[in-house]
Amino acid sequence: MPRPSRLRPAPLTPGSPHRRTLLKAGGTLLLSVLTPLPASATQIMAVRVWPAPDYTRVTLENDSALKTTHFLVPDPPRLVVDIDGLVLNNTLKSLVAKVEPNDPYIKQVRVGQNRPNVVRLVFDLKEEIKPEVFTLAPVAGYQHRLVFDLYPLKPVDPIAAMIRKGEWTTDDTPAAAASSANPASPLPATPPAQTEVVPDAIAKLESEMSALNGTPPSQPVQPTPGRQVARAPAQKVVRMVTIALDPGHGGEDPGAIGATGAREKDIVLAVAKRLKAKLEQLPNTRVMLTRDGDYFVPLGQRVQKARQVQADLFVSIHADAWISPTARGSSVFVLSEKGASSSAARWLANDQNKADLIGGANAAVQDKVLASVLFDLSTTAQINDSLKVGKAVLKEIGGINRLHKAAVEQAGFAVLKAPDIPSILVETAFISNPDEEAKLRDDGYQNQLADAITKGIKRYFADNPPMAKSRQT
């Protein structure tokens, strides 16, 4: 019986259909191995809105860098932003509810999927604005950030803003009456008018006439007892003292965070507001806050604000943090031209100077030479005056809290580099120390701290009254 023949595949001759099918399948398999799958869309992790008098900031935090285009539309004013590589999600939709009715620049925001992988944001504006759109690389606890800073076309004048709020006295007043009426004034009272005894007017005239005739007066002219003529006092007008208070951090930059969650930016703002109220109780004194809410102000702008109001003193308020929770005590710092007074001071200055990286300053529009120019212009006289007020404040703070260092320290803090303003930085306590964090949260301690700083400032101005200034342009 013949054996059945085995079935064998047809030979894969060139051009055969079977061979072409196998080659296509193999090529497809190879491409699937070598070609990566399409990348997933960028995910928006958080959205935040920070309204401020000077500008409004909108931040989108995401897991990778975003590419955007934007343009302005007039009548009514709108800002349109298209974000590539993005799919609309609930987090991004929540941006709509983040805009508050009292936002100075944004009326509302609309969010939608404009086309595949492109999300469009439309900001309906209350007035025309100048937008700055930039990205920030991951830093501290943040991932990638896309930032929209919406500035008014005409920058806010800090003095005009304070006048509108009734926080600015427009006319300097003579201090003599106020100082004598209220000994709490930081300025010394005008010295009392000097008096001198003069001869009787008729006797003096007779003496002069006799001298003209060559005949001496019959009797020497004697002063008339009890007759005094007051010499007019010098027209000395003590001008208003302007103090700039600078609560550190704010907005995107929380500063140091204590073990129980206290944030430096909140603590120092509360202390600054208490200090402002106490200083304004002193005659001839007006106070400006570089920020009066929870928003970020770049370091250079803090200095610029103080110079715009021609401040006589700049006081930056912070709360220390250290790698060890046992570090404690209050400190006062001033600028150093020759390096930090200690390694700890150098570390702290470097840490505080990173605020622009964390808070988010647009490097493309920042004046990159500002820091070096201001540093070069900082004079020995400015630092000497800063040391004087620093010592006065440190002595008063030492009465309510342990001092970390018994002397004023020096380091290259960026916010202390105004060339013409005595400037100090007060580290109120270590927020990283649980005991001191509890004190910083306490209203009573904040009040004592504000009292101590006020007394130190009052003593400094009593010994060093400010000179007259011409208005800067």
Side-chain angles (χ1 to χ4, degrees):
M1 187 173 180
R3 297 175 62 185
S5 60
R6 291 184 179 179
L7 294 176
R8 295 180 180 177
L12 299 178
T13 58
S16 66
H18 189 54
R19 185 174 186 272
R20 287 196 299 268
T21 301
L22 287 176
L23 288 174
K24 287 181 181 179
T28 303
L29 177 62
L30 183 62
L31 287 173
S32 67
V33 172
L34 298 180
T35 304
L37 295 175
S40 59
T42 298
Q43 292 296 311
I44 298 296
M45 315 300 295
V47 294
R48 296 180 288 274
V49 180
W50 307 100
D54 298 341
Y55 73 112
T56 290
R57 166 168 290 186
V58 178
T59 303
L60 309 184
E61 188 175 359
N62 32 276
D63 60 3
S64 62
L66 294 174
K67 182 181 178 182
T68 68
T69 57
H70 68 277
F71 56 92
L72 292 169
V73 180
D75 195 26
R78 284 156 288 164
L79 171 66
V80 180
V81 181
D82 286 339
I83 308 175
D84 293 335
L86 198 60
V87 175
L88 190 61
N89 64 4
N90 290 332
T91 302
L92 192 51
K93 290 179 181 178
S94 70
L95 179 62
V96 174
K98 300 281 186 178
V99 177
E100 299 291 339
N102 61 349
D103 188 293
Y105 303 110
I106 302 177
K107 184 183 299 181
Q108 65 177 2
V109 61
R110 291 173 281 148
V111 182
Q113 192 76 47
N114 183 255
R115 54 188 184 274
N117 292 322
V118 176
V119 168
R120 171 166 287 186
L121 310 180
V122 179
F123 295 93
D124 295 314
L125 306 170
K126 295 181 178 179
E127 62 178 75
E128 293 186 15
I129 56 97
K130 179 177 66 175
E132 291 178 7
V133 181
F134 57 98
T135 58
L136 295 169
V139 63
Y142 291 114
Q143 298 191 51
H144 294 269
R145 284 175 290 170
L146 175 62
V147 180
F148 310 94
D149 283 348
L150 312 184
Y151 289 91
L153 289 182
K154 185 178 180 181
V156 174
D157 182 340
I159 294 180
M162 294 178 70
I163 290 174
R164 285 195 297 269
K165 293 190 293 184
E167 297 180 352
W168 188 263
T169 303
T170 55
D171 296 323
D172 288 347
T173 56
S179 297
S180 58
N182 188 344
S185 170
L187 301 175
T190 303
Q194 296 181 352
T195 59
E196 64 176 350
V197 178
V198 298
D200 181 88
I202 296 177
K204 181 179 180 182
L205 179 60
E206 290 177 347
S207 173
E208 292 174 349
M209 291 177 64
S210 297
L212 288 174
N213 295 328
T215 305
S218 56
Q219 293 181 352
V221 177
Q222 300 292 335
T224 303
R227 290 208 50 178
Q228 296 181 342
V229 177
R231 178 183 294 172
Q235 296 300 312
K236 180 178 180 181
V237 176
V238 180
R239 62 178 179 82
M240 297 291 292
V241 171
T242 303
I243 300 172
L245 300 182
D246 175 50
H249 310 282
E252 289 287 291
D253 178 15
I257 300 177
T260 64
R263 301 183 299 185
E264 182 180 4
K265 68 174 183 178
D266 300 328
I267 297 293
V268 298
L269 180 60
V271 172
K273 288 182 175 180
R274 292 178 186 273
L275 178 56
K276 179 177 185 290
K278 292 180 182 298
L279 288 171
E280 287 177 335
Q281 293 175 7
L282 305 177
N284 309 312
T285 304
R286 55 194 173 195
V287 181
M288 179 207 68
L289 292 173
T290 59
R291 71 175 180 95
D292 58 5
D294 187 12
Y295 51 88
F296 179 71
V297 182
L299 299 176
Q301 288 187 20
R302 295 170 187 263
V303 177
Q304 184 181 6
K305 284 187 172 188
R307 300 192 76 211
Q308 283 178 320
V309 299
Q310 287 194 299
D312 299 290
L313 177 64
F314 180 90
V315 181
S316 193
I317 304 172
H318 291 260
D320 269 342
W322 191 246
I323 53 178
S324 169
T326 60
R328 61 180 301 174
S330 302
S331 305
V332 176
F333 292 84
V334 303
L335 183 65
S336 171
E337 289 183 309
K338 300 178 181 179
S341 56
S342 68
S343 58
R346 183 183 305 106
W347 181 90
L348 183 61
N350 290 337
D351 185 62
Q352 296 288 6
N353 290 345
K354 293 176 183 176
D356 281 357
L357 298 176
I358 300 172
N362 187 357
V365 297
Q366 294 295 311
D367 184 356
K368 295 182 180 180
V369 299
L370 174 65
S372 61
V373 169
L374 290 180
F375 185 82
D376 293 338
L377 290 174
S378 296
T379 63
T380 302
Q382 185 260 24
I383 293 178
N384 286 342
D385 285 339
S386 300
L387 285 168
K388 290 177 183 177
V389 65
K391 290 175 182 176
V393 169
L394 188 68
K395 181 177 180 180
E396 295 294 337
I397 293 178
I400 65 164
N401 193 35
R402 173 179 173 177
L403 297 180
H404 186 64
K405 294 284 186 180
V408 175
E409 295 196 77
Q410 294 183 254
F413 289 92
V415 292
L416 301 182
K417 293 183 179 180
D420 48 358
I421 307 174
S423 303
I424 64 172
L425 187 146
V426 178
E427 292 286 0
T428 53
F430 277 88
I431 200 171
S432 53
N433 181 302
D435 293 336
E436 293 205 332
E437 180 191 12
K439 293 177 70 173
L440 288 170
R441 282 180 176 271
D442 181 67
D443 291 344
Y445 178 73
Q446 290 184 10
N447 199 55
Q448 286 182 315
L449 194 60
D451 274 334
I453 298 174
T454 299
K455 291 177 182 176
I457 291 173
K458 174 187 169 186
R459 182 190 305 163
Y460 165 74
F461 279 119
D463 295 336
N464 304 274
M467 304 297 291
K469 286 185 180 179
S470 59
R471 187 73 193 160
Q472 295 177 350
T473 57

